[in-house]
Amino acid sequence: MSTQTTPLTRVLVANRGEIAVRVVRACHDLGIEAVAVHSAPDADALHVREADGAALLGGPQAKESYLRIDRVVAAALEHGCQAVHPGYGFLAENPELARACAEAGLVFVGPAAEVMEAVGNKVRAREIAEQAAVPVIPGSGNLSSIDEVVAFAERVGYPVMLKAAAGGGGRGIRRADDEPTLRTSFPQAMREAEAAFGDGSVFLEKCVIDPRHVEVQIVADRLGNVVHLGERECSLQRRRQKLVEESPAPRLEPRVRDELCAAAVRLAKQVGYTSAGTVEFLVDPRSGEFYFIEVNARIQVEHGVSELVTGVDIIGEQLRVASGLPLSVTQDDVTFRGAAIELRVNAENPRQNFFPSPGQVTRLRWPGGPGIRVDSGLEEGDRIQPYYDSMIAKVLVTGRTRDEAVARARRALRELSVEGVHTTAELQRSILDWDTFTDGSFHTGSLDGFIASWTAS
């Protein structure tokens, strides 16, 4: 691998909202100037105010601005940047941005385009996992006909999951418990995959009943060093979108934890991964067996949870790796302390089927005190735009024990006050008091049932 160093003095932050603010701060901690990009309505957003320079990309729609590779690269060159940090979402897992950066002589803060392509296709990623001796769910390659789909399902047994080969975020996934449902779902999944990712390829996997969703944070440099920062519990999801994450995962046997983390490191080494990434698994709570799902080739929304339990600045490590430097920590340096929880606060009305709630924030009070961190791209008086993701903040808490972290999370949500828009904070207060959450016995299907009961009450 290359050991050439590229000292970074200016970095273009190709994103918006809280992750853009987070990257700007990480740059400043390392003495690096940060240049923000923005759409027209984001001209006075917090990430722009915090940066050392800014570039207008285009109109309000993401396709006019934050998804324009040509304008992102041009902005980086115009402002004298050596590197581009994509954050998460938008272009973060688009290998064409990584390739365009390389062609323009810019450093892409993330894995190489070829690695992104390899792990970004779920069928190829399964093959890489198998080569690294990482367990995978019984599954197929890309399927193009309903006869192939039905034949495979008959071999592995129902229920099965249809999945888009490209993309992520829970889109292009459909469960089928029988053949009639499978025959109906197959063309629907292909259309959804094509619309979401421009690739209608789908494959089939055996469905694990009531699994837990556990992911492992890794960081890797260009010298072949790969370090894991432990696991995160991500099973509390609404329609496959995470609402609460924590580390360490409750009720996870030490043996399973060690095997999960070792498997993530093996996979990263197998594919030649660099920068920060996450290897995601399903864990069968009955047997303790686990199965590889996918690799997220970017910084995760919930990376702060791992930062709180390890003390490692993950985005700082990304910037070091992008400079050609080795990781600042070895595996032996990483120690795990206490527990951390993240609550994603979204501008949505959970009482009305989570309908988005854009508008001006007329009053805002963030929580504070021991063990509390808030990552946000918002200040009082700012406007939540209707064009982008509805998450407005991540409230992160840490404690010496999980019970202490939960207590601080409850306090944080009592202190939180957002006026002018609806938020999900009320629902999250209820989740923290939910017996299934407090005893850690939840799985990926638990939260949807809880929300249905909560809404009805």
Side-chain angles (χ1 to χ4, degrees):
M1 294 187 180
S2 172
T3 58
Q4 182 178 356
T5 59
T6 306
L8 301 182
T9 58
R10 284 174 73 86
V11 171
L12 187 86
V13 184
N15 215 295
R16 67 179 302 278
E18 72 85 15
I19 188 58
V21 174
R22 172 72 182 87
V23 176
V24 168
R25 288 171 173 163
C27 288
H28 289 167
D29 286 348
L30 295 173
I32 300 170
E33 292 184 343
V35 176
V37 297
H38 63 90
S39 63
D42 274 346
D44 192 40
L46 181 59
H47 74 283
V48 175
R49 302 197 296 268
E50 292 289 321
D52 304 288
L56 172 65
L57 294 181
Q61 300 297 332
K63 65 182 180 182
E64 303 170 326
S65 51
Y66 296 107
L67 292 176
R68 288 292 300 268
I69 293 175
D70 56 340
R71 294 181 184 176
V72 168
V73 171
L77 295 174
E78 179 182 346
H79 286 264
C81 299
Q82 295 89 30
V84 174
H85 194 303
Y88 57 71
F90 294 130
L91 295 169
E93 291 182 278
N94 189 327
E96 294 308 316
L97 174 59
R99 193 167 284 117
C101 286
E103 291 173 354
L106 298 166
V107 176
F108 177 75
V109 184
E114 296 75 17
V115 173
M116 293 177 72
E117 287 173 333
V119 300
N121 182 289
K122 292 185 176 62
V123 174
R124 176 70 182 116
R126 281 174 55 91
E127 295 171 351
I128 295 168
E130 290 174 327
Q131 293 165 6
V134 175
V136 298
I137 301 171
S140 70
N142 290 341
L143 300 172
S144 57
S145 75
I146 189 60
D147 292 338
E148 290 179 313
V149 172
V150 171
F152 182 85
E154 289 176 348
R155 285 200 303 275
V156 299
Y158 291 95
V160 293
M161 299 290 284
L162 279 163
K163 293 188 174 183
R171 291 174 293 179
I173 299 178
R174 290 174 180 268
R175 172 172 166 166
D177 293 332
D178 50 45
E179 182 178 332
T181 304
L182 184 59
R183 288 185 176 274
T184 301
S185 299
F186 177 61
Q188 294 172 340
M190 292 184 71
R191 287 195 296 270
E192 185 175 345
E194 177 66 36
F197 312 117
D199 182 351
S201 302
V202 298
F203 66 102
L204 208 63
E205 282 185 345
K206 174 69 177 174
C207 184
V208 180
I209 304 299
D210 295 337
R212 296 174 62 182
H213 185 167
V214 181
E215 61 189 23
V216 177
Q217 175 71 59
I218 58 102
V219 287
D221 61 28
R222 299 177 187 172
L223 305 176
N225 301 307
V226 180
V227 172
H228 75 78
L229 302 179
E231 88 289 354
R232 296 187 290 255
E233 172 68 68
C234 300
S235 298
L236 288 177
Q237 306 173 10
R238 172 185 175 267
R239 297 180 180 176
R240 302 191 180 91
Q241 299 298 312
K242 304 165 188 172
L243 283 182
V244 182
E245 301 99 353
E246 61 179 301
S247 182
R251 291 193 172 196
L252 191 65
E253 293 182 13
R255 172 192 62 82
V256 177
R257 175 176 289 111
D258 292 344
E259 291 178 0
L260 275 171
C261 294
V265 170
R266 287 199 307 274
L267 194 151
K269 288 184 175 180
Q270 178 71 34
V271 76
Y273 197 91
T274 58
S275 195
T278 304
V279 186
E280 305 203 359
F281 299 92
L282 291 182
V283 178
D284 187 329
R286 298 168 184 80
S287 66
E289 294 181 316
F290 62 88
Y291 306 96
F292 167 75
I293 311 174
E294 64 181 352
V295 176
N296 290 132
R298 53 173 166 79
I299 195 71
Q300 287 276 87
V301 175
E302 58 271 24
H303 72 276
V305 172
S306 299
E307 292 181 328
L308 288 176
V309 295
T310 64
V312 176
D313 179 347
I314 298 174
I315 294 181
E317 294 301 319
Q318 284 189 296
L319 294 168
R320 285 182 58 87
V321 171
S323 301
L325 297 172
L327 296 172
S328 69
V329 293
T330 67
Q331 195 64 65
D332 290 341
D333 296 326
V334 178
T335 56
F336 300 93
R337 296 184 178 89
I341 300 171
E342 175 181 285
L343 305 161
R344 301 192 191 190
V345 181
N346 299 328
E348 299 169 341
N349 187 345
R351 295 286 185 185
Q352 294 186 354
N353 198 30
F354 293 82
F355 196 77
S357 182
Q360 186 173 27
V361 177
T362 55
R363 184 177 182 275
L364 177 61
R365 179 190 179 218
W366 295 127
I372 292 179
R373 159 180 160 182
V374 178
D375 286 6
S376 178
L378 195 67
E379 291 182 330
E380 186 172 289
D382 287 348
R383 179 169 291 277
I384 297 170
Q385 301 295 340
Y387 313 104
Y388 316 113
D389 183 84
S390 62
M391 189 179 72
I392 58 174
K394 303 180 307 195
V395 176
L396 299 110
V397 300
T398 187
R400 291 168 295 180
T401 65
R402 184 175 189 262
D403 287 345
E404 185 173 74
V406 170
R408 284 177 170 165
R410 291 184 178 125
R411 173 173 65 81
L413 289 183
R414 287 195 301 269
E415 293 180 5
L416 174 67
S417 178
V418 183
E419 296 181 9
V421 298
H422 294 283
T423 76
T424 53
E426 178 192 6
L427 167 64
Q428 286 162 320
R429 293 186 191 103
S430 298
I431 291 172
L432 294 177
D433 292 331
W434 177 30
D435 290 345
T436 301
F437 171 75
T438 54
D439 68 17
S441 62
F442 48 82
H443 53 76
T444 54
S446 299
L447 189 58
D448 282 335
F450 174 79
I451 291 174
S453 299
W454 178 83
T455 303
S457 67

